[in-house]
Amino acid sequence: MQIPLINLKKQYESIKDEVDKAVSEVLSSAQYIMGTNVRKFEKEFSEYLGVNHSISVGNGTDALIIALKALGIGEGDEVITTPWTFFATAESISFVGATPVFVDVRLDTFNIDPSKIEEKITPKTKAIMVVHIFGQPADMDEINRIAKKHNLYVIEDAAQAVGSEYKGQKIGTLSDIATFSFFPTKNLGCAGDGGIIVTNDDNLATICRALRTHGSGENGQKAYNIIHNIDENINQEDNADNTVYNPLKYYNYLIGHNSRLDEIQAAILRVKLKYLNEWNDKRRENAKFYNENLKDTRLVTPYEENNVKHIYHLYILQSEKREEIVEFLNRKGIATGIYYPVPLHLQKAYKDLGYKEGDLLNAEYLSHRTFAIPMFAELTDEEKKYIVNSIKEFEKQNG
């Protein structure tokens, strides 16, 4: 039996007719950039989360960069974040000229440890960038308390957590600004790259809209006025043809980016958004099956706080014999993945920051023990049983 980490083919087959129809309609419309589907998807995503503004962009990394820029974070600033996540989190901080300051993670949730944040705050600190790793919400009450005390922004990197909840609130709604990725393997993924920024702050939303399209047009002018405290009424044209010719894009007010979600991706995401809760619930059912059937093994199964809804973007196990079990499962046709083999503070790209082995012990410990097994909504009972039985077979052979 061959079981991938995620089966995108199965997902596509389950919604094929709807997706094909949506894509065909976009192609027939000849409106490919910043059109009807983008506007509707942004509205629908805002309604799903319960936020005022959603600003779609080209990918999750751009979302982080634009969010940081909208907050005015740049050269000489510091942003506190986690060392145990995908590189884009810290990379975005570096890209705007700021410095990532790494704080160790909790061993149970894998998220940034709030009890270790305050000791890293300096006069240069401007924000805390929280990552809800693998779909497990971080301790937002404590992080927001610290941020308020020290007058810091809070940014949620929710790339892996679309649909997860913290005390009944959707992740992405618990900070000044939040970002999501729609990379194909995410719980809500498009057929290429895509991302989105969400916020309840009207001014931040306007600046983000300007920055995603070269700082041009009405949003560019509005953003310029916000930044420079200019009071001026500007009319917004929402139905401009951004595919063929929109004269307003030739008037630029800020140095921005070219980062847009295209119409085809927006159309696909609109279809998938309708199924997101159902798919996340199935992931949670699969996680429950794994937890119950692996509880008597020597593996450490994922921990979930009582007041959160974990949506299991990845299902992560821990083992002292990671290399051996990964090799064994791969021989059995079961895909695995190691997230993350090198914590960010030890990446060569950050050698100049001066971190060394032993500085962030929990992240380093996890980097040697954790691995993912298949997790997707379409997993069959037969596949799950095969995975569990294969793990138990390894345990028996390596007792």
Side-chain angles (χ1 to χ4, degrees):
M1 186 179 292
Q2 297 292 319
I3 310 173
L5 269 177
I6 180 171
N7 197 325
L8 293 176
K9 288 184 178 180
K10 273 190 177 180
Q11 185 189 72
Y12 168 64
E13 288 166 2
S14 72
I15 53 174
K16 182 180 186 303
D17 291 344
E18 288 179 83
V19 168
D20 289 356
K21 182 175 182 289
V23 171
S24 179
E25 287 175 352
V26 172
L27 295 174
S28 297
S29 74
Q31 187 183 54
Y32 307 135
I33 302 294
M34 302 285 288
T36 303
N37 279 289
V38 166
R39 288 192 292 271
K40 288 185 176 180
F41 174 67
E42 289 176 342
K43 182 176 183 292
E44 289 159 4
F45 195 72
S46 291
E47 290 171 349
Y48 175 78
L49 290 184
V51 293
N52 293 339
H53 302 283
S54 291
I55 305 99
S56 60
V57 293
N59 54 70
T61 307
D62 283 356
L64 287 169
I65 291 168
I66 291 170
L68 286 161
K69 283 190 173 183
L71 292 170
I73 294 170
E75 200 74 37
D77 296 332
E78 294 178 350
V79 178
I80 288 172
T81 194
T82 168
W84 208 59
T85 181
F86 184 61
F87 188 65
T89 303
E91 182 182 37
S92 65
I93 297 167
S94 300
F95 190 88
V96 301
T99 301
V101 175
F102 297 112
V103 169
D104 209 356
V105 297
R106 287 173 47 176
L107 284 176
D108 52 2
T109 65
F110 310 146
N111 283 317
I112 192 168
D113 186 342
S115 71
K116 298 177 181 179
I117 289 176
E118 286 195 272
E119 65 192 49
K120 295 293 184 75
I121 295 173
T122 75
K124 294 181 179 180
T125 308
K126 293 296 186 293
I128 303 169
M129 184 180 285
V130 183
V131 178
H132 306 289
I133 201 71
F134 309 134
Q136 166 96 274
D139 184 353
M140 293 306 296
D141 281 353
E142 184 61 13
I143 289 165
N144 280 319
R145 184 195 67 78
I146 294 168
K148 185 176 181 181
K149 177 182 175 182
H150 294 276
N151 196 29
L152 304 176
Y153 293 116
V154 176
I155 306 160
E156 290 175 86
D157 178 349
Q160 301 181 5
V162 63
S164 61
E165 297 178 6
Y166 177 82
K167 296 186 176 180
Q169 280 186 263
K170 286 281 195 300
I171 287 302
T173 66
L174 299 159
S175 57
D176 296 287
I177 197 164
T179 67
F180 294 85
S181 168
F182 299 132
F183 188 77
T185 58
K186 296 296 192 289
N187 293 35
L188 179 63
C190 53
D193 277 314
I196 205 162
I197 304 160
V198 301
T199 182
N200 284 318
D201 188 300
D202 297 346
N203 288 345
L204 283 179
T206 298
I207 296 170
C208 288
R209 289 191 181 99
L211 290 175
R212 72 174 169 182
T213 53
H214 306 287
S216 66
E218 297 104 333
N219 282 315
Q221 190 172 2
K222 286 180 178 180
Y224 180 90
N225 290 350
I226 290 167
I227 292 167
H228 294 90
N229 296 311
I230 298 170
D231 187 10
E232 179 184 12
N233 289 325
I234 299 166
N235 294 324
Q236 179 76 39
E237 175 54 65
D238 291 326
N239 297 311
D241 184 347
N242 289 291
T243 298
V244 179
Y245 180 69
N246 179 0
L248 298 173
K249 73 179 182 180
Y250 300 109
Y251 295 85
N252 303 85
Y253 302 87
L254 305 174
I255 303 298
H257 297 258
N258 178 24
S259 185
R260 301 167 300 199
L261 185 71
D262 69 60
E263 280 288 294
I264 288 177
Q265 303 303 345
I268 292 170
L269 288 166
R270 290 185 66 204
V271 173
K272 289 189 173 185
L273 183 59
K274 295 183 294 184
Y275 297 95
L276 179 59
N277 285 344
E278 176 186 336
W279 290 341
N280 280 344
D281 286 345
K282 287 181 178 178
R283 284 173 178 267
R284 288 175 57 77
E285 288 175 15
N286 293 339
K288 184 179 179 181
F289 178 89
Y290 282 150
N291 290 343
E292 290 175 350
N293 285 277
L294 295 174
K295 64 183 178 182
D296 295 326
T297 68
R298 289 184 296 276
L299 297 171
V300 178
T301 55
Y303 168 78
E304 180 175 342
E305 300 253 58
N306 291 329
N307 56 3
V308 308
K309 181 178 180 181
H310 192 331
I311 48 82
Y312 295 95
H313 166 60
L314 293 171
Y315 184 88
I316 301 293
L317 291 167
Q318 298 181 56
S319 172
E320 296 287 353
K321 298 181 177 180
R322 181 177 70 184
E323 284 68 30
E324 294 94 326
I325 192 170
V326 162
E327 183 180 345
F328 180 84
L329 293 176
N330 288 343
R331 289 201 305 269
K332 288 280 195 175
I334 300 167
T336 58
I338 294 177
Y339 304 89
Y340 296 91
V342 182
L344 298 188
H345 68 291
L346 298 180
Q347 293 284 355
K348 285 187 178 180
Y350 285 123
K351 189 176 181 180
D352 62 323
L353 295 183
Y355 291 94
K356 60 185 184 301
E357 285 193 37
D359 284 346
L360 301 173
L361 290 172
N362 289 352
E364 294 168 31
Y365 174 81
L366 292 171
S367 71
H368 294 296
R369 290 170 52 89
T370 55
F371 67 100
I373 59 175
M375 170 57 74
F376 48 93
E378 299 81 13
L379 269 172
T380 65
D381 289 343
E382 182 184 11
E383 288 172 330
K384 287 184 288 187
K385 289 175 183 176
Y386 179 75
I387 292 165
V388 165
N389 289 336
S390 296
I391 290 172
K392 289 181 176 179
E393 181 181 345
F394 172 83
E395 289 263 302
K396 187 175 181 180
Q397 293 178 11
N398 294 268

